[in-house]
Amino acid sequence: MIHELIEFAHGRGMALSLIETMPLGQTGCDRTEQFLGLDALRREISRRWTLSDLTDRSGGPARYARVEQTGGLIGFITPLTAHFCGDCNRVRVTADGTLYTCLGHENGIDLRKLLRSSMSEAHVHEAIGHAVEQKPKGHEFSLQGRVLPVKLVRHMSATGG
Ligand code: SF4
């Protein structure tokens, strides 16, 4: 299947990005059954395709490799097997106006409430700055053994990418 996906994407001039599942939100499923480390998938890809690692970045967390036979790119996003939290400068604002400073933590500030209050713009900036200063060093998801416990109630779709 992965080989067909590469042919499909690269045959249409598209890059293909792959991401390891993260245990966000209760789904009623055993997350370990959904998890596939991209190191294993990369080995499978390399059985058929020649991959050349690139240093190019898109501003996101993907690490890219070029498939020599197609000229197309594959992005590998590895939050579990090789997390990149140390380089992360991201914060996210959800559709309901909550500012989250990390995908892997529940703490956020109610930006909508602040903006709708009589608080001055300077104080709103200060509150955002304080939230960013408190940004966690990273997620606490763990792959110990075959345990991939769900740490967050919030689903990925509630936050956005
Ligand atoms: S888990 Fe948090 S710190 Fe790590 S990359 Fe995602 S948002 Fe950034």
Side-chain angles (χ1 to χ4, degrees):
M1 176 59 102
I2 186 62
H3 303 301
E4 285 78 9
L5 274 174
I6 292 169
E7 287 171 341
F8 178 87
H10 292 182
R12 289 161 178 79
M14 298 184 288
L16 177 68
S17 286
L18 306 166
I19 183 169
E20 293 170 350
T21 190
M22 291 191 286
L24 301 174
Q26 294 286 353
T27 61
C29 300
D30 178 354
R31 294 307 183 85
T32 55
E33 290 181 4
Q34 300 174 325
F35 182 79
L36 174 63
L38 289 188
D39 45 355
L41 189 57
R42 183 174 171 134
R43 282 194 295 277
E44 173 60 25
I45 292 170
S46 297
R47 287 160 59 94
R48 177 161 163 194
W49 309 95
T50 306
L51 297 177
S52 300
D53 287 321
L54 303 175
T55 53
D56 311 42
R57 297 280 184 269
S58 63
R63 301 291 180 261
Y64 289 96
R66 182 182 310 286
V67 177
E68 293 302 338
Q69 291 87 342
T70 66
L73 301 185
I74 301 182
F76 295 91
I77 306 174
T78 53
L80 273 294
T81 57
H83 80 68
F84 33 77
C85 296
D87 295 331
C88 175
N89 61 1
R90 297 201 166 199
V91 298
R92 293 169 173 84
V93 180
T94 58
D96 67 0
T98 306
L99 173 72
Y100 288 105
T101 54
C102 179
L103 266 184
H105 291 264
E106 295 286 12
N107 52 315
I109 65 167
D110 190 344
L111 203 53
R112 179 177 60 180
K113 192 170 165 190
L114 294 184
L115 291 171
R116 289 183 176 176
S117 72
S118 54
M119 192 178 260
S120 70
E121 195 171 320
H123 280 107
V124 173
H125 284 184
E126 194 178 317
I128 294 171
H130 182 68
V132 171
E133 282 169 15
Q134 306 297 314
K135 179 173 170 60
K137 286 187 175 156
H139 66 67
E140 293 167 359
F141 307 138
S142 169
L143 274 173
Q144 292 160 356
R146 280 190 49 79
V147 180
L148 191 56
V150 173
K151 294 274 189 180
L152 291 184
V153 175
R154 192 170 86 250
H155 284 266
M156 185 76 181
S157 57
T159 312

